[in-house]
Amino acid sequence: MARFKLYPSILSADFAHLDKQIKESEKCGADGIHIDVMDGQFVPAITFGTPIVEAVRKSTDLPIDIHMMTVNPEKHFKELIEAGADSITVHHEACHDLKTTLEELGKHGVHKSVAINPDTPVESISNVMSMIDQILVMSVVPGAGGQSFIHESLTKIATLSNDIKSQGLPVSIQVDGGINSNTISDTVKNGANILVAGSAIFNDSFSICDGLSKLRNAI
Ligand code: DX5
Ligand code: ZN
């Protein structure tokens, strides 16, 4: 089985104990922390911005992976990177001119990533594959945690994985939404190498360490 990384998504975390939960994630083998920035325009919900990124940066040395579900993402690159972001994902569907947005992101020296919604075909980002470090395949409609994995995403992951291998590109495939111990194995088998999970790690039924173990053991 190929190597894969697990990134807890703090959208489902207990914000009264965020520092403790981030530290527990790190202690139990998380490979990065995924932060969902929602603006109430690209998606209906609003979540959090720079102050939370700063707080997470103080709690851990793990890579901080920002998933921007926002219009005009470039307006916030500088402040998010100064706050501690290591990688930034913009949504293909939110950018008027994706190449220009990625060029702007490239000036800041962080990992560049593009997300595609469940309805967006993989071909829509073929013109930027050589510009990016990561593709985020959304396996739920973006905007909320705790939704069910959309199984059609597996075909998209496999297609992208074949394209990346055949072109020899250094691009990771991240998958976000509905990842749990029933769905993780198929995503990795089809070529995903970074798995984001929120409610399967932060919940009232088991500890963060048990959540991470369940996911690793399910592969
Ligand atoms: C959804 C977010 C996800 C969310 C995933 O729009 O992008 O990162 O936290 O939550 P789960 O793992 O519960 O589907
Ligand atoms: Zn996300």
Side-chain angles (χ1 to χ4, degrees), residues 11 34 36-38 42-45 67-70 91 93-94 115-120 136-145 147 150 176-177:
L11 188 62
H34 180 89
D36 290 304
V37 177
M38 303 186 192
F42 180 65
V43 291
H67 177 188
M68 297 188 77
M69 284 161 272
T70 74
H91 263 266
E93 304 84 2
I116 51 173
N117 279 344
D119 287 344
T120 302
L136 168 49
V137 177
M138 286 306 298
S139 42
V140 297
V141 175
Q147 303 180 73
I150 296 173
D176 182 11

Side-chain angles (χ1 to χ4, degrees), residues 37 48-51 53-54 64 66 68 73 76-86 88:
V37 177
F48 28 72
T50 310
V53 179
E54 282 172 357
I64 293 181
I66 309 283
M68 297 188 77
H76 303 283
F77 288 161
K78 189 167 180 285
E79 69 192 59
L80 288 169
I81 292 159
E82 283 173 1
D86 295 291
I88 291 196

Side-chain angles (χ1 to χ4, degrees), residues 3 12 36 52 59 64 82 84 88 101 112 122 124-125 136 140 156 158-159 176 186 191 193 208-209:
R3 235 188 79 70
S12 295
D36 290 304
I52 290 288
S59 296
I64 293 181
E82 283 173 1
I88 291 196
T101 302
K112 301 182 291 282
V122 294
S124 61
I125 53 164
L136 168 49
V140 297
K156 290 166 76 173
T159 303
D176 182 11
D186 282 344
N193 37 34
I208 292 168
C209 289

Side-chain angles (χ1 to χ4, degrees), residues 20-96:
K20 188 168 165 274
Q21 297 210 327
I22 298 286
K23 289 192 164 80
E24 186 174 344
S25 302
E26 180 167 4
K27 186 187 83 186
C28 293
D31 299 289
I33 301 295
H34 180 89
I35 301 184
D36 290 304
V37 177
M38 303 186 192
D39 68 351
Q41 292 190 64
F42 180 65
V43 291
I46 53 171
T47 52
F48 28 72
T50 310
I52 290 288
V53 179
E54 282 172 357
V56 173
R57 181 75 294 160
K58 284 183 192 152
S59 296
T60 182
D61 292 327
L62 288 174
I64 293 181
D65 177 57
I66 309 283
H67 177 188
M68 297 188 77
M69 284 161 272
T70 74
V71 298
N72 303 317
E74 57 283 344
K75 278 189 179 172
H76 303 283
F77 288 161
K78 189 167 180 285
E79 69 192 59
L80 288 169
I81 292 159
E82 283 173 1
D86 295 291
S87 56
I88 291 196
T89 297
V90 297
H91 263 266
H92 167 66
E93 304 84 2
C95 296
H96 300 297

Side-chain angles (χ1 to χ4, degrees), residues 6 19 43 46 91 109 203 210:
L6 283 177
D19 177 60
V43 291
I46 53 171
H91 263 266
N203 62 61
D210 284 350

Side-chain angles (χ1 to χ4, degrees), residues 122-123 153-166 173 190:
V122 294
E123 295 74 26
S153 314
L154 295 175
T155 313
K156 290 166 76 173
I157 296 165
T159 303
L160 280 167
S161 178
N162 287 334
D163 289 353
I164 287 167
K165 276 186 200 140
S166 66
I173 301 178
N190 279 278

